[in-house]
Amino acid sequence: MTTNVLTGHATTAPGSRSRFAIDVRDFLTQRPRQLPSRYLYDDLGSALFEAICRLPWYPLTRAELRLLETHAPEILNAGVTTVIELGSGSGAKLSALIAAAGSGRGRLDVHLVDVSKSALSQASGALESFENVRILTHETTYEIGLEESVLPRPFPGRRLALFLGSNIGNFDPPGRDAFLGSVRTALDAGDGFLLGVDLVKPERDLLLAYDDPLGVTAAFNRNLLARINRELQGNIDLDDFTHHVLWNEGRSRIEMHLRSRRRQRIRIREADLDFVMAEGEMIWTESSYKYDPPEIGSMLERSGFSVRAQWIDAAGGFALTLAEAV
Ligand code: AVI
């Protein structure tokens, strides 16, 4: 089976529309047909994802926030002088962390890395009222942003890289290990890495989180087809596709698909594509891997980190792991 190579949930950078066209062509002609999940996040997709994070059936965001607030003084102790958040989103989590760290925290340089300009300006706004915090933004991919962030070390102290929201779950295992390796390479021994990961939980709860009764996740998924129509001049009738979610227990991942309701011909002019989909045929749009707490420690250790603490939110089935580069 061809693997869906993912680089996180970032919006495509401006001007990369032809990359989108190339990827749509490459991935839709593979078997199984697929689309990279990063393209789910255009403006509407990002707004729908924000709404998902508020749904009662999607506990990840609230669970992670509880853990960040509870353990902030340990996470952001006085030795940390540089924070690098990979995929800053709205900045709400980092704000909560800094606020809850209280007076124990010293002066901070905060690097926000995101491909979305609007996410960076929202996150900068959320952080600007903190004293002794200097904000530096990097409108680029995780990997490039990380390299840029570690270049200047204006004052002594440790760096702390954050990768929250279980974004690691959207990487397939080889991509995940490559990503963790690149984080480790960018950091110095003694620097910290905080990783938020969603845990394996009962199938019923997982399916509800990704196929919510309000249909917000279905809209998030089908919006990818609307984006293809709009940006690449596709002729896809959204009503001809349903949101389909399954728990692949063997691979420990939730899979999101778009299932064709009938045999239909799809034309996407800008991607130079014209093909027929059979009734019931699917387009695989996202994988969301779920882990057990010990597996998180093992993957970090394999990548050159040593686990310093792991905190679990049992109600939300979520783990926050603090590791140190060794
Ligand atoms: C961004 N990412 C961690 C989310 C997840 O849970 O895999 C994306 C998402 N897809 C459907 N709901 C949320």
Side-chain angles (χ1 to χ4, degrees), residues 8-9 37 40-41 48-49 52-53 58 60 164-170 198 209-212 217 220-221 243 245 254 256 286-290:
H9 73 269
S37 65
L40 290 164
Y41 301 87
L48 288 166
F49 177 62
I52 289 171
C53 293
Y58 190 80
L60 285 72
L164 302 176
S166 205
N167 286 333
I168 195 81
N170 298 132
D198 196 26
Y210 289 85
D211 194 3
D212 63 90
T217 315
F220 172 67
N221 195 12
H243 173 63
V245 169
I254 279 281
M256 243 176 32
E286 186 186 65
S287 294
S288 196
Y289 286 80
K290 307 299 169 187

Side-chain angles (χ1 to χ4, degrees), residues 2-322:
T2 320
T3 41
N4 193 347
V5 181
L6 302 163
T7 54
H9 73 269
T11 316
T12 4
S16 60
R17 188 168 139 173
S18 60
R19 180 76 252 164
F20 182 36
I22 292 164
D23 283 344
V24 164
R25 188 183 163 79
D26 283 356
F27 284 84
L28 275 185
T29 48
Q30 287 182 25
R31 294 304 165 116
R33 297 190 196 277
Q34 52 196 282
L35 288 166
S37 65
R38 60 180 172 274
Y39 293 116
L40 290 164
Y41 301 87
D42 62 353
D43 282 351
L44 180 55
S46 300
L48 288 166
F49 177 62
E50 292 283 324
I52 289 171
C53 293
R54 293 164 185 245
L55 294 174
W57 307 279
Y58 190 80
L60 285 72
T61 317
R62 289 177 299 279
E64 188 171 51
L65 207 51
R66 285 193 289 271
L67 290 170
L68 287 168
E69 287 175 339
T70 308
H71 302 287
E74 280 164 271
I75 296 167
L76 216 54
N77 59 42
V80 176
T81 54
T82 302
V83 170
I84 304 161
E85 184 168 21
L86 303 169
S88 60
S90 69
K93 290 174 192 169
L94 186 50
S95 299
L97 178 68
I98 295 176
S103 54
R105 154 187 89 73
R107 177 178 157 191
L108 271 188
D109 261 8
V110 170
H111 294 262
L112 302 172
V113 179
D114 207 300
V115 284
S116 157
K117 199 193 233 13
S118 64
L120 289 172
S121 69
Q122 216 190 330
S124 306
L127 296 168
E128 68 191 5
S129 60
F130 288 108
E131 266 177 49
N132 287 330
V133 172
R134 185 167 69 133
I135 303 156
L136 301 109
T137 58
H138 306 264
E139 189 186 333
T140 182
T141 60
Y142 300 146
E143 286 82 358
I144 296 172
L146 195 57
E147 279 170 25
E148 289 176 1
S149 309
V150 296
L151 286 178
R153 203 190 262 271
F155 42 91
R158 286 187 299 111
R159 299 186 185 102
L160 174 69
L162 310 178
F163 197 47
L164 302 176
S166 205
N167 286 333
I168 195 81
N170 298 132
F171 287 87
D172 63 10
R176 172 202 69 199
D177 290 342
F179 173 75
L180 292 176
S182 70
V183 175
R184 173 61 194 90
T185 304
L187 298 175
D188 290 335
D191 287 341
F193 180 43
L194 185 70
L195 184 64
V197 181
D198 196 26
L199 300 176
V200 175
K201 45 181 82 64
E203 181 171 353
R204 203 177 119 263
D205 297 343
L206 286 167
L207 292 177
L208 262 178
Y210 289 85
D211 194 3
D212 63 90
L214 287 176
V216 182
T217 315
F220 172 67
N221 195 12
R222 293 163 80 226
N223 176 55
L224 184 46
L225 301 175
R227 180 179 185 179
I228 289 174
N229 282 348
R230 192 178 59 248
E231 295 186 24
L232 303 180
Q233 297 179 42
N235 73 336
I236 308 167
D237 185 341
L238 270 58
D239 287 338
D240 283 341
F241 283 90
T242 56
H243 173 63
H244 181 71
V245 169
L246 62 96
W247 169 237
N248 182 332
E249 193 178 355
R251 302 282 179 115
S252 196
R253 69 184 181 214
I254 279 281
E255 293 175 13
M256 243 176 32
H257 299 263
L258 290 159
R259 181 165 28 196
S260 177
R261 281 184 197 271
R262 59 176 183 85
R263 183 182 155 82
Q264 56 179 308
R265 183 153 186 188
I266 306 281
R267 288 190 197 84
I268 305 171
R269 182 128 59 101
E270 295 262 326
D272 195 21
L273 254 185
D274 185 337
F275 64 98
V276 172
M277 279 191 76
E279 181 183 341
E281 199 183 341
M282 304 213 275
I283 302 171
W284 179 15
T285 51
E286 186 186 65
S287 294
S288 196
Y289 286 80
K290 307 299 169 187
Y291 292 93
D292 285 322
E295 284 179 300
I296 301 166
S298 308
M299 70 197 192
L300 283 165
E301 291 187 358
R302 276 198 310 275
S303 302
F305 293 96
S306 171
V307 173
R308 292 288 170 252
Q310 187 171 63
W311 303 289
I312 311 278
D313 183 282
F318 197 90
L320 205 51
T321 307
L322 182 62

